[in-house]
Amino acid sequence: MDIDNSSGFNFSGESYELDFNLLKLAIDASVAGIIITDYRQPDHPIIYSNKAFEKISGYKRNEIIGRNCRFLQGDDREQQARYILKEAIKNGETATVELRNYRKNGDLFWNELYLSPVKDANGNVTHFMGVQNDITKRKNAEQQLQKERDEMERRVIERTRSLKENEEYLASILQTVRESLLVLAHDLRVLSVNRHFLRTFKVSEAETIGIKLYDLGNGQWNIPQLKELLETILPSNNPVLDFEVSYEFPHIGKKIMLLNAHQIELDGEYKQHILLSFEDITERKEANQRKDDFISIASHELRSPLTTVKGYIQLLERLLPKDNDKVTHAIAKTNDYLNRMNELITNLLDTSKIQNGKIELHKEVFDFDQMVKEAAENVQGSYSSHRIKITGSTKMDYAGDQHRLEQVVVNLLTNAIKYSPEASEIAVYLSRVSGFIKVAVTDYGLGIGREDQKKVFERFFRANSIQKKFPGMGIGLYVCDQIIKNHKGTLWVDSEAEKGATFSFTLPI
């Protein structure tokens, strides 16, 4: 049945007659996940989620607020239940469906969703409330759980037999891989080792087999980080992947390693054995550090001549006659390119600071809406091909780094214009969603494929389809993402290839 709002409860928080604290405690105590979405805002953002919903989904509140519910389906969008929901929302009706959803860590879970509209005193739908229950266990039972268990047991027996029969074959594979591999007993004695480990750490098989890991090399392997991995992390989190260890070995020098550990818990001979692999990333780390140092030095060195050139251009503007259109146009174009060069150098310097953990925020209270308006006006002054349209408002004085947040808005706007050459408008929507400020920048251009969306905020990432048509280094969105994270916010993208993109970020009030 529909939820009627005639009782006086107002989801926007302006006034209410119900005891809000009591209601919130009751909802948070529920074992069912509960969310509320705002039907009046574009894309129906989530404005409330209770603790059970956070537990079911694996997401924290600041990662939930402001998003559309569809983010829980990930790439699994072609579900019949989604079309039922779409029709129900369109018609302002209730609906009950079963959805395949995915937790933050990627795990699938089945969700029984009861959706109901919330109406005001005039009968107009203002919000939707969703009550969600994890029914994964029930679905598994419905899918012949007993049959699957029997099949799994048969496979385990068959695979164990196959492993024993092919032990020699598997051992030969382990000897040829280009990673250091160890097999440890439950007491951490070395049972097996491959040649790559012996070559990398300059030891013999006789000095390794049968010896406890920490005692290798007269105690060289008594490494605190390694103990933490094997004795604290692995027993409760099996397997452990890409665990970084940095250690100065007395004879071979400093090594930076990525460790993967897997504890085998089978019956028989291989019970409680540990597989341990080491990937030596020392050279890779050093190369990345040299690259970061080069970027930092090069950016600083470029600043000085760029400032000088800028000064000479300003001098030419004053000295040359103003009635020569060609000269005036040439100087204006030169200024544009100098500004682009300055922006690129700024991004490179920011990237270097972020990598070294030295990005600084100078927080002060400022008018957030005015900041966005001024950023849009600055971009609009440089691009006459697109109209930037701002709707909504936050009506907030926000405490943050105004310069850095303006940098984010400018970057999102210039990207939107750059990647929508055939369009004529960029939409900016400002709102307050629960305890967060939300900014959404929408273009109507090339869009971003789903695979590329997972990497778009990585440093130096450039999608192949975009790289062919538009120049760039792939650092702008990386810098934006880090600025927002340093404000405890979240930046994300919703897009489909050839259908435009919406970049949104939320900041906690």
Side-chain angles (χ1 to χ4, degrees), residues 135-146 148:
I135 59 168
T136 307
K137 291 183 179 179
R138 191 186 81 195
K139 294 295 292 187
N140 288 341
E142 291 172 355
Q143 295 169 357
Q144 301 177 346
L145 180 61
Q146 186 59 48
E148 291 183 1

Side-chain angles (χ1 to χ4, degrees), residues 290-307:
R290 287 194 296 270
K291 181 173 64 177
D292 291 337
D293 291 343
F294 171 77
I295 289 173
S296 179
I297 294 169
S299 300
H300 280 290
E301 292 300 320
L302 286 170
R303 265 279 164 83
S304 180
L306 186 65
T307 303

Side-chain angles (χ1 to χ4, degrees), residues 210 314 377 386 391 398:
Q314 291 172 350
E377 288 174 350
H386 293 67
T391 56
Y398 180 73

